[in-house]
Every structure is written in structure tokens, then in C-alpha cells.
Amino acid sequence: MSIVNSLKERRSYYNISKNLPVDENKVIKLVEEATEFTPDAFNMKSARVVVVLGEQHDKLWDSIFDVFGGKVPREKIDSFKAGAGTILYFYDNSVVKGLQEKFPAYANNFPVWANQANGMLQSNIWVGLRELGIGASLQHYNPVIDDVVKKLFEVPENYILVAQMPFGGIVEEPAEKAKENISDRVVIKK
């Protein structure tokens, strides 16, 4: 599959199940390799990932529901809980701060670059999951859930939660995307 075809296949899958089309070890290997090979500025390697599976995945989404005190509909939370797992994306703020001190002229850029690298990692893993026949979506319940996530999974205090990616077997394909006029966003100058 070419990169463009893989990108076309990557969608937000909200109707997922606990039945993965591959062994969960393939998911773990994908996450490890994508984390190792996704580039970042100054080779800072600030991205951190926690893969939550099985009962811990269910506990995560029940805890997220509890944190919001019912303000997020149970059906929505249960649609993520229905999956096989969740990938939690962080960056290590101690790495960022260390580089800010080492390179003060670029200090303001390191948090931006850490987020950019994390976004690339999220995209790489998302596309990789789809290549494995797995559906996923990207969620942003942080910072409301930061404390409960850190406590549940013993995450260091210096980790900054960026996003959550529930994933699972594909139950239903999403509706077709409308074709956009890409020239509204891409300009070519010769």
C-alpha cells in the first residue's frame, strides 16, 4: 500500500469492537516502531506512549466518564470503551525543559516542536493501525483527565497528556468524505 493510499484509508472510526483482526502484539510492535522512527526537532525524543489494553482500557473509559460527572454522554464514552484498547500520547516535559536550558535561543520553540513531533507520531500510528485493518479515532479529553490517567497508569508527573486514541476492530465504515477543492489549501507557485 502506498503512503497516499494508506492516508486515504485512515478515517475516524467510532464504531469499533474488542475483536482485533490481528494479534495485539502486532499493535504493540507498530507503536514501538512508529515511536522509534518518527522524527522530531533536535532529535529530542520527547514523545511517550502508553498502550492500554483489556480491563485497563475499560477502566480508563469508566474513569473518564466519572471525571466528567455525566457531562459527556455515557453512549459516547461507551463507544470508545467498546474498542480493544487506547493509546495515550504524552510528551516528556523534562526533556523539553532540558533542551530549553541547553539552547535558550530556541526555548519558546521546544514545546511547539514536541507537540509537532507528537502529532506526527499520532498520524503514523493511526495510519499504521488502519493498515492492520484496525479502526481508531483521536480524542482530546485532556487536561480534564490528566490526574486520573497519571494515577491509573503511574505516569510520571512531568509527562504532558496530548491525546487519546481508542482503537478496535472495525464494526462499520464511516460515511464517505466529501471531496474538497484542495486548491483552497494548497497553492503552487512556479
Side-chain angles (χ1 to χ4, degrees):
M1 195 181 287
S2 76
I3 185 69
V4 173
N5 284 337
S6 294
L7 288 169
K8 285 179 184 177
E9 293 296 316
R10 191 244 21 105
R11 300 289 307 280
S12 291
Y13 284 88
Y14 297 109
N15 198 344
I16 55 176
S17 74
K18 297 193 181 305
N19 302 318
L20 292 175
V22 298
D23 186 272
E24 67 185 28
N25 288 320
K26 285 191 175 188
V27 174
I28 293 167
K29 183 175 169 68
L30 164 70
V31 170
E32 290 172 342
E33 289 180 339
T35 302
E36 181 178 0
F37 298 118
T38 297
D40 54 7
F42 283 71
N43 198 29
M44 72 171 97
K45 299 187 183 307
S46 63
R48 302 293 184 263
V49 180
V50 175
V51 181
V52 184
L53 301 164
E55 290 178 17
Q56 293 298 309
H57 163 76
D58 292 346
K59 191 174 183 179
L60 168 65
W61 289 102
D62 286 338
S63 297
I64 290 172
F65 178 78
D66 292 344
V67 166
F68 279 94
K71 291 179 183 168
V72 177
R74 184 81 231 191
E75 304 78 41
K76 185 171 188 176
I77 296 297
D78 284 347
S79 72
F80 306 133
K81 183 180 172 182
T86 299
I87 302 166
L88 300 171
Y89 294 93
F90 302 86
Y91 71 83
D92 185 341
N93 202 35
S94 66
V95 171
V96 171
K97 286 182 177 182
L99 287 165
Q100 287 175 312
E101 291 169 9
K102 188 174 180 179
F103 301 101
Y106 299 106
N108 291 337
N109 292 340
F110 283 107
V112 174
W113 292 335
N115 275 303
Q116 289 172 344
N118 206 285
M120 286 190 290
L121 177 61
Q122 294 164 32
S123 180
N124 289 342
I125 291 174
W126 201 350
V127 170
L129 287 171
R130 187 60 190 90
E131 286 183 347
L132 293 174
I134 296 170
S137 65
L138 194 60
Q139 303 303 312
H140 300 91
Y141 287 97
N142 48 297
V144 178
I145 66 170
D146 289 7
D147 291 340
V148 73
V149 166
K150 287 179 179 179
K151 185 177 178 185
L152 273 174
F153 305 115
E154 300 173 354
V155 174
E157 193 58 38
N158 50 297
Y159 283 21
I160 307 298
L161 183 60
V162 178
Q164 309 83 55
M165 184 178 284
F167 65 89
I170 297 170
V171 175
E172 181 180 39
E173 290 290 332
E176 286 285 324
K177 282 185 178 179
K179 182 75 175 144
E180 69 176 297
N181 181 356
I182 199 63
S183 64
D184 289 343
R185 295 197 295 144
V186 179
V187 176
I188 309 298
K189 299 287 186 182
K190 289 187 181 186

